[in-house]
Amino acid sequence: GIMRQRLVSDALVEWTADGSHVPDLSLWPDEDGQIGGALRREVDYTLAVVSGVRAHDVIPLDQACWGVAAAEAVEQALHTRQPVTVGSPGLSLR
């Protein structure tokens, strides 16, 4: 098949011999009848690490903590309408 996106405002369309399809590019797309996508994979990974099913081998612990701090900073910035700076070894976000 062919995938094409002409303009930023256009949807991504896949054309195949069977017709056309517009994939769901949202955070929780439907994949074969189940919720999928990157966010779902992150939630599943986090639950597996927290429950001891697997080691935190995808992202280093300090970066994971930085991600939580960044999310909290976004929430704080939304409430205060002021920039919030988050720092971590080797990483900074403003």
Side-chain angles (χ1 to χ4, degrees), residues 7-90:
L7 301 172
V8 174
S9 61
D10 284 354
L12 180 67
V13 179
E14 177 183 15
W15 286 279
T16 66
D18 297 328
S20 63
H21 171 71
V22 178
D24 182 355
L25 301 176
S26 66
L27 293 176
W28 297 97
D30 179 61
E31 295 177 350
D32 297 323
Q34 295 183 331
I35 294 174
L39 188 56
R40 176 57 188 241
R41 285 188 296 278
E42 288 181 29
V43 168
D44 288 345
Y45 169 78
T46 301
L47 291 173
V49 169
V50 170
S51 64
V53 173
R54 69 177 291 174
H56 58 85
D57 54 351
V58 174
I59 183 172
L61 183 58
D62 64 333
Q63 290 183 19
C65 292
W66 179 83
V68 172
E72 290 173 343
V74 168
E75 185 177 358
Q76 181 182 354
L78 288 171
H79 288 294
T80 64
R81 297 182 182 265
Q82 297 295 318
V84 177
T85 301
V86 176
S88 182

